[in-house]
Amino acid sequence: MDAQSSTQGRRVALITGVTGQDGSYLSELLLAKGYVVHGLKRRSSSYNHPRLEHILDPEYPDSERFHLHYADLTDFSSLCKVLRLTKPDEVYNLGAQSHVQVSFELPQYTAEASGVAVMHMLEAIRTTGLERSARFYQASTSELYGKVHEVPQSEETPFHPRSPYGVAKLYGFWAVKNYREAYDMFACNGILFNHESPRRGEIFVTRKITMAVAKIKLGRQECLMLGNLDAQRDWGHARDYVYCMWLMLQQEEPEDFVIGTGITTTVRKFAELAFARAGMPIHWEGPPGVTEVGVVSEGERKGQAVVRISPKYFRPSEVDLLLGDPTKARTKLGWNPQKTSLQQLVNEMVDADVDMATNPRAYLKY
Ligand code: NDP
Ligand code: GDR
């Protein structure tokens, strides 16, 4: 396909990580805005883009403007090839090994896919001669703050990452700043706090909880195992956050922005809200010394959902408290940090998971 000849004057976007949670929402947003959207997909031995299935359906109104290309962030030549073919006006670098706990198991790969790959993308843009025309968004993260030095966390708060993932993302953050300063590229970091949705990956804590709510309610799962219940996160909705990514690339000058709701909640509270949505009180269980409650008999916990604390899910070093200060995004971008409340997010995720657990094709709706 000659990608350029089919743009018909439309703006062109390239999304790495298009098969992920954010990639799917961003694709919908950009297609609705009239863009031609190109996405990178990795080769996999099995079908790996269920979050895009509805967009790939020829019945989807903008399907003909959506294109997938094989590439990998760790393969520089594949990035140059896709950039040369598509000549994007906007590049959204969302691809990463994005799981914090997994990054302790795969530190080197995480460094490459979530850190050095940012340099690959920036350098590939220069190599293909797009550095004056293409605007670049980097998916930076509140994990950069890591160990708590100040709350709420703003664009001025110092970084202290607490995982190989955070360290890799720190490299990417500074690569973006450096290319902006050195080559005058339009490159921005969005420092995004946690954002969730029914499309969230299944091993992140919110989705793990809401899927368990659905399965326990339907009698298909006995209990939910969790790690640190006291961690506090600033959770927003992914759909609201991808809009902010787009806004950042529409500004006159490239700048970095913190994106969060300004409200923080414990993992424990999220679980309570999720099980309450399905009408189930929680019975907390855990090894003595780890929680206040020991394991009890089935009779004692009748009618309650069992949530068991397991040290298996504790991290070698934890990020205890994240709370974003979205003042700059609110004032400069006109972005509304509280468009979706936590209760609305929990309700949407639980309801979707109950629906999907009973109807296997229901995922196409979410
Ligand atoms: P997901 O884990 O849902 O998606 C990650 C995407 O990256 C997937 O499309 C994945 O492909 C792709 N990917 C992974 N490794 C490679 C590689 N080597 N080459 C090409 N693509 C690769 O993440 P989210 O959508 O939740 O997050 C998007 C980005 O934002 C990530 O960079 C994440 O680190 C960052 N971020 C996320 C936050 C959140 O709360 N969601 C908060 C702050 C930052 P595949 O489907 O094949 O695995
Ligand atoms: P996080 O998200 O590490 O903040 O990274 P995750 O949902 O994995 O963990 C949030 C908090 O919950 C605690 N926790 C558990 N976590 C998981 N995954 N599974 C459990 O069973 C469990 N029990 C308790 C964790 O210890 C942690 O404190 C996400 C990712 O999307 C990153 O890519 C992104 O950069 C940051 O958010 C902002």
Side-chain angles (χ1 to χ4, degrees), residues 16-24 40-44 48-49 51 71-74 93-99 109 113-114 117 137-143 165 169 190-196 199-201 204 238 241 245:
T16 76
V18 74
T19 56
Q21 170 189 253
D22 292 4
S24 63
L40 302 192
K41 67 172 171 182
R42 297 195 286 175
R43 195 271 158 184
S44 160
N48 67 343
H49 37 79
R51 293 181 179 104
D72 194 295
L73 284 165
T74 60
N93 187 36
L94 310 186
Q97 191 302 93
S98 73
H99 202 278
Y109 176 70
S114 312
Y137 172 86
Q138 168 57 18
S140 286
T141 165
S142 53
E143 283 294 300
Y165 169 80
K169 285 281 185 177
I191 307 172
L192 270 56
F193 284 64
N194 300 53
H195 44 279
E196 320 294 313
R199 297 183 196 169
R200 183 56 144 154
F204 296 96
Y241 284 41
M245 297 175 187

Side-chain angles (χ1 to χ4, degrees), residues 209-250:
I209 291 169
T210 60
M211 286 181 75
V213 168
K215 287 186 185 156
I216 292 171
K217 191 178 167 67
L218 295 169
R220 296 185 194 157
Q221 184 172 323
E222 197 205 327
C223 75
L224 167 64
M225 308 273 267
L226 289 177
N228 180 11
L229 299 177
D230 297 321
Q232 291 171 267
R233 290 292 182 272
D234 178 340
W235 279 299
H237 197 300
R239 194 186 289 112
D240 302 340
Y241 284 41
V242 300
Y243 177 56
C244 222
M245 297 175 187
W246 177 78
L247 282 178
M248 276 182 231
L249 294 198
Q250 313 313 310

